[in-house]
Amino acid sequence: MDNTADPHSVGAVTPRLAKFTEPLVLASGATLAGYELAFETYGTLNADKSNAVLVCHALNASHHVAGYYADDPKNVGWWDNLIGPGKPLDTNRFCVIGVNNLGGCFGSTGPSSPNPATGKPWGADFPLVTVEDWVTTQARLADQLGIRRFAAVLGGSLGAMQALSWTIQYPERLGHALVIACAPNLSAQNIAFNEVARQAIITDPDFHGGHYYEHNTRPTRGLRVARMVGHITYLSDDEMASKFGRQLRHGKLNYSFGVEFEIESYLRHQADKFSDYFDANTYLRITKALDYFDPAAAHGGNLSLALEPATASFLVVSFTTDWRFSPERSREIIKALLDNRRDVTYAEIEAPHGHDAFLLDDARYHRLVAAYFERIAAGLTA
Amino acid sequence: MDNTADPHSVGAVTPRLAKFTEPLVLASGATLAGYELAFETYGTLNADKSNAVLVCHALNASHHVAGYYADDPKNVGWWDNLIGPGKPLDTNRFCVIGVNNLGGCFGSTGPSSPNPATGKPWGADFPLVTVEDWVTTQARLADQLGIRRFAAVLGGSLGAMQALSWTIQYPERLGHALVIACAPNLSAQNIAFNEVARQAIITDPDFHGGHYYEHNTRPTRGLRVARMVGHITYLSDDEMASKFGRQLRHGKLNYSFGVEFEIESYLRHQADKFSDYFDANTYLRITKALDYFDPAAAHGGNLSLALEPATASFLVVSFTTDWRFSPERSREIIKALLDNRRDVTYAEIEAPHGHDAFLLDDARYHRLVAAYFERIAAGLTA
């Protein structure tokens, strides 16, 4: 696909860097004296700065949400199918902002950035960050951009947790929250899968206790295994069955530990790709942010109490075959919002793709998001 | 529990070793000139040798199915809750036989055994073995013991695949097959989880291409991760939720990569225990045997054709929360058996425990197995 010719692409985009010099006290108690956030914007902020939409990213994504880079046209934003001129989140109407989260590895300050105290990469000494920390830094970025209130904050999976946290932390600073393929916290099984990924990374001899940068090495083996186990949880059983089934790679069994089944080939390929570009210390921290997120915890497990401050209108979307964050988990959020008599639209989309469905171009799902943004746009011009 | 005082225990047992000198041609094409199988028996073979029951083991188990060792009374057989005097599989009536499968690491010839060609451990050179190979060796063991026909062959999970394969490979040599928590083959998702486990082991620098014995080391890190990921698939999401939920180990978050949640502690403990006693080369081979098992493959994917030779009566049992081998997969077996007008009893047990339910002392499940063995016993004395 030649993106440069696509009239529905936001086109060539340029990442920017925001500097923050006000110290940031994190949930862990650690303080960062300063930090930077990489971000991108698409579309134009209107005169009263009321049309800004913040897009929060999930585990392995970044601030590069839509468009492409002029010098790397194949590097298309991770939610490009949703965002652009005439797309469900229409950049002709909205000004969309993507941010690489603190602790990330795509330009924002993170474990691979230099630690001002030593001049060497932070590595293991970079503090653990939480969803709440991310939302705080995103609010500070909004301050810098002069955005007092977002028309909407939008995210899928871990990104949706950030959208949800926005409604609690800064209720007056967003009109709508789009909470897609989310859960109000991780289940024991979710945490267990994260722990497998972490153990794979941490026990890799090339991890060097998180200080691998200084050893000019990377815990690639561990990161590969982490990605493989994660990937399985993003796809539905049915989707794997229809995409790969028991198809053999070489037409027959070879009785070896090389690739025999297509699914093995696919997983190894995903693992290789991911371990090539992603930073292990960032991955570790993102899995911890997922584990920790639990807004109800401060209210004795009562999610309704946790969401009491929220004033935003909500679109909550789940996918029938998502077994990582099942529709049941979204319904917990719905219940808590209804307990607070909030304005909520909820849709369970019948889609075969599992958790990853939120990233895919499913017509019913995209029509729904488009209609919801129509409604938001109507509110702006009213 | 003091097993030595339990009247329903088979008591102190002694493993035995059977030697085979007739060469064995494996499914892979490789030939073993000779091999040994470790086995145990409980109960007494009757005069016409018609009361023998073979118990096939699953992934990490062995020939030590019931009872305990006099010098190690805490080492209780893995299916001791089911097998013993007055238990569902009553050793007052049946003579029960457990075998450690070929390629195992509990006494039968396997990768850690000396390779006669070199005098050193086989390691990576030990051939890959299949469910069909195991059944062939079990039949040869039966020959040595003078057992022409088993009253029943019984197994759960991978053990059930062996029971199923018995009905196809040696239909005239068993009266009943008890096929518990089984699937007629692995799904793409099942294979994917196995592949994660294998990659964790194979990429562990201590694996040394499978020849770690010579390096006086073991790929413990890889084996730990393999066990963790396996373990998650044995438990149901609900069971994990009710057993562990989001319970914190130290009452509060510590913002570290140490244990924070109880589920992490549990998984690490399981991983440590397992990697301490299990052989990685055996684990790799058992996951491959699982991947390969697919009796329908030789019949264009038609399981009904594959099961045409079977003449045994069947008890098939599945568990509602088993997401590794769901009840749906058992129903595929049932359909194929009914297509062949076989005598089948099928039960879907409502149990919260997931795949591991087949090992647990669930009253309804045990009553069912007891009743089925009553029926088998009645057939013997008739």
Side-chain angles (χ1 to χ4, degrees):
Chain A
M1 184 178 72
D2 181 8
N3 305 297
T4 56
D6 178 4
H8 297 295
S9 168
V10 300
V13 297
T14 311
R16 295 157 64 185
L17 207 57
K19 261 192 172 49
F20 300 84
T21 51
E22 190 192 341
L24 177 72
V25 182
L26 300 164
S28 68
T31 300
L32 281 176
Y35 55 95
E36 298 179 328
L37 293 180
F39 70 102
E40 292 180 8
T41 66
Y42 327 113
T44 311
L45 205 55
N46 61 9
D48 62 354
K49 299 188 173 180
S50 64
N51 69 335
V53 173
L54 177 68
V55 178
C56 305
H57 71 75
L59 218 150
N60 62 325
S62 73
H63 54 291
H64 186 36
V65 181
Y68 57 88
Y69 295 137
D71 60 354
D72 185 9
K74 283 188 172 162
N75 187 350
V76 176
W78 57 272
W79 224 345
D80 191 79
N81 61 27
L82 192 83
I83 298 163
K87 287 185 180 171
L89 173 40
D90 188 345
T91 51
N92 288 332
R93 288 166 146 177
F94 293 98
C95 176
V96 176
I97 300 167
V99 196
N100 185 212
N101 284 333
L102 186 70
C105 53
F106 295 111
S108 292
T109 301
S112 54
S113 309
N115 179 348
T118 63
K120 288 191 289 187
W122 280 94
D125 300 328
F126 194 83
L128 269 65
V129 287
T130 65
V131 166
E132 288 76 9
D133 293 332
W134 288 334
V135 169
T136 303
T137 60
Q138 289 159 1
R140 290 193 183 178
L141 176 64
D143 293 341
Q144 280 205 10
L145 299 174
I147 297 162
R148 201 191 58 77
R149 178 182 164 93
F150 284 107
V153 177
L154 161 69
S157 188
L158 176 57
M161 289 175 169
Q162 294 161 60
L164 196 62
S165 204
W166 262 95
T167 71
I168 300 169
Q169 290 178 253
Y170 300 103
E172 72 291 356
R173 295 193 69 172
L174 73 164
H176 298 263
L178 286 83
V179 175
I180 301 172
C182 192
N185 61 27
L186 294 202
S187 68
Q189 191 190 65
N190 294 148
I191 297 173
F193 279 122
N194 279 347
E195 175 66 359
V196 172
R198 284 191 293 266
Q199 288 291 305
I201 292 170
I202 287 172
T203 63
D204 184 330
D206 285 335
F207 182 64
H208 294 287
H211 289 293
Y212 46 89
Y213 316 104
E214 303 169 36
H215 291 80
N216 278 317
T217 182
R218 304 170 65 242
T220 309
R221 298 179 206 95
L223 206 49
R224 285 183 79 253
V225 168
R227 179 58 167 176
M228 288 174 86
V229 74
H231 210 88
I232 297 173
T233 69
Y234 307 149
L235 298 183
S236 72
D237 192 14
D238 282 357
E239 176 75 352
M240 271 203 185
S242 68
K243 244 176 143 169
F244 306 104
R246 295 182 49 85
Q247 269 178 72
L248 294 169
R249 182 74 172 163
H250 305 292
K252 65 175 186 63
L253 295 177
N254 287 314
Y255 298 97
S256 82
F257 294 106
V259 165
E260 302 243 41
F261 293 93
E262 286 288 358
I263 180 66
E264 294 172 303
S265 169
Y266 173 78
L267 279 182
R268 291 189 194 186
H269 175 69
Q270 294 294 332
D272 290 340
K273 240 178 37 179
F274 184 71
S275 66
D276 224 40
Y277 76 83
F278 210 86
D279 179 65
N281 277 322
T282 289
Y283 196 83
L284 289 175
R285 277 158 183 76
I286 293 181
T287 65
K288 290 300 275 189
L290 273 161
D291 286 6
Y292 291 154
F293 182 68
D294 187 11
H299 303 271
N302 188 326
L303 188 64
S304 305
L305 282 180
L307 282 168
E308 213 177 53
T311 55
S313 295
F314 283 81
L315 174 64
V316 178
V317 180
S318 68
F319 300 93
T320 48
T321 57
D322 184 351
W323 62 280
R324 184 179 167 88
F325 294 160
S326 69
E328 202 180 355
R329 303 306 316 271
S330 279
R331 275 183 246 125
E332 292 175 34
I333 298 170
I334 295 300
K335 187 201 169 288
L337 291 170
L338 292 180
D339 282 348
N340 287 298
R341 295 161 190 272
R342 290 293 161 264
D343 173 28
V344 190
T345 305
Y346 176 55
E348 248 173 66
I349 305 277
E350 207 174 305
H353 314 291
H355 187 59
D356 263 359
F358 85 88
L359 292 167
L360 301 178
D361 190 358
D362 178 284
R364 274 183 296 184
Y365 160 48
H366 274 197
R367 271 201 303 272
L368 177 73
V369 174
Y372 196 82
F373 273 110
E374 284 285 346
R375 179 184 150 190
I376 301 178
L380 294 180
T381 51
Chain B
M1 184 179 72
D2 181 8
N3 306 296
T4 54
D6 178 2
H8 297 295
S9 168
V10 300
V13 297
T14 311
R16 295 158 65 186
L17 206 59
K19 260 194 173 46
F20 299 84
T21 51
E22 189 193 341
L24 177 71
V25 181
L26 300 164
S28 68
T31 300
L32 281 176
Y35 56 94
E36 298 178 329
L37 293 180
F39 71 101
E40 292 180 7
T41 66
Y42 326 113
T44 310
L45 204 56
N46 60 10
D48 61 355
K49 299 187 173 181
S50 63
N51 70 334
V53 173
L54 177 68
V55 178
C56 305
H57 72 74
L59 219 149
N60 63 324
S62 73
H63 54 292
H64 186 36
V65 181
Y68 57 89
Y69 296 137
D71 59 355
D72 186 7
K74 284 189 172 163
N75 187 349
V76 176
W78 57 271
W79 224 346
D80 190 78
N81 61 25
L82 192 82
I83 297 163
K87 287 186 181 170
L89 173 42
D90 188 345
T91 50
N92 288 331
R93 287 165 147 179
F94 293 99
C95 174
V96 177
I97 300 166
V99 196
N100 185 212
N101 284 333
L102 186 70
C105 53
F106 294 111
S108 292
T109 301
S112 54
S113 309
N115 179 348
T118 63
K120 289 192 287 188
W122 279 94
D125 299 327
F126 194 83
L128 269 65
V129 287
T130 65
V131 167
E132 288 78 8
D133 292 332
W134 288 334
V135 169
T136 303
T137 60
Q138 289 159 2
R140 290 192 182 178
L141 176 64
D143 293 342
Q144 280 204 10
L145 299 175
I147 298 162
R148 200 192 58 78
R149 178 181 163 95
F150 284 108
V153 177
L154 162 69
S157 190
L158 176 56
M161 289 175 168
Q162 294 161 60
L164 197 60
S165 204
W166 262 95
T167 70
I168 300 170
Q169 290 178 252
Y170 301 102
E172 73 291 354
R173 296 194 67 173
L174 73 165
H176 297 264
L178 286 84
V179 174
I180 301 173
C182 192
N185 60 29
L186 293 202
S187 69
Q189 191 189 66
N190 293 148
I191 296 174
F193 279 122
N194 278 347
E195 175 65 0
V196 173
R198 283 191 293 265
Q199 288 291 305
I201 292 169
I202 287 172
T203 63
D204 183 330
D206 286 334
F207 182 64
H208 295 287
H211 289 291
Y212 46 89
Y213 315 104
E214 302 169 36
H215 291 80
N216 279 317
T217 182
R218 302 170 65 242
T220 309
R221 299 179 205 93
L223 205 50
R224 284 182 80 253
V225 169
R227 179 57 168 178
M228 289 173 86
V229 73
H231 210 88
I232 297 173
T233 69
Y234 308 148
L235 299 183
S236 73
D237 192 14
D238 282 357
E239 175 75 353
M240 272 202 183
S242 69
K243 244 175 141 169
F244 306 105
R246 294 182 51 84
Q247 269 177 70
L248 294 169
R249 181 76 172 162
H250 305 290
K252 66 176 186 65
L253 294 178
N254 287 315
Y255 299 97
S256 82
F257 294 106
V259 165
E260 302 242 41
F261 294 93
E262 287 288 358
I263 180 67
E264 294 172 304
S265 169
Y266 173 77
L267 279 182
R268 290 188 194 186
H269 175 69
Q270 293 294 333
D272 290 341
K273 239 178 37 179
F274 184 72
S275 65
D276 225 40
Y277 76 82
F278 210 86
D279 179 66
N281 277 322
T282 289
Y283 196 84
L284 289 175
R285 277 157 183 75
I286 292 181
T287 65
K288 291 299 274 189
L290 273 161
D291 287 7
Y292 290 155
F293 182 68
D294 188 9
H299 303 271
N302 187 327
L303 187 63
S304 304
L305 282 181
L307 282 169
E308 215 177 52
T311 54
S313 295
F314 283 80
L315 174 65
V316 178
V317 180
S318 69
F319 299 93
T320 49
T321 57
D322 183 351
W323 61 281
R324 184 180 167 87
F325 294 159
S326 69
E328 203 180 354
R329 303 307 316 273
S330 279
R331 278 184 244 123
E332 293 176 33
I333 298 170
I334 296 299
K335 187 201 169 292
L337 291 170
L338 292 180
D339 283 348
N340 288 298
R341 295 162 189 271
R342 290 293 160 265
D343 174 28
V344 189
T345 305
Y346 176 55
E348 249 173 64
I349 306 277
E350 208 175 304
H353 315 291
H355 187 60
D356 263 359
F358 85 87
L359 292 167
L360 302 177
D361 190 358
D362 178 284
R364 274 183 295 185
Y365 160 48
H366 274 197
R367 270 201 303 272
L368 177 73
V369 174
Y372 197 81
F373 273 110
E374 285 285 346
R375 180 185 149 189
I376 301 178
L380 293 181
T381 51

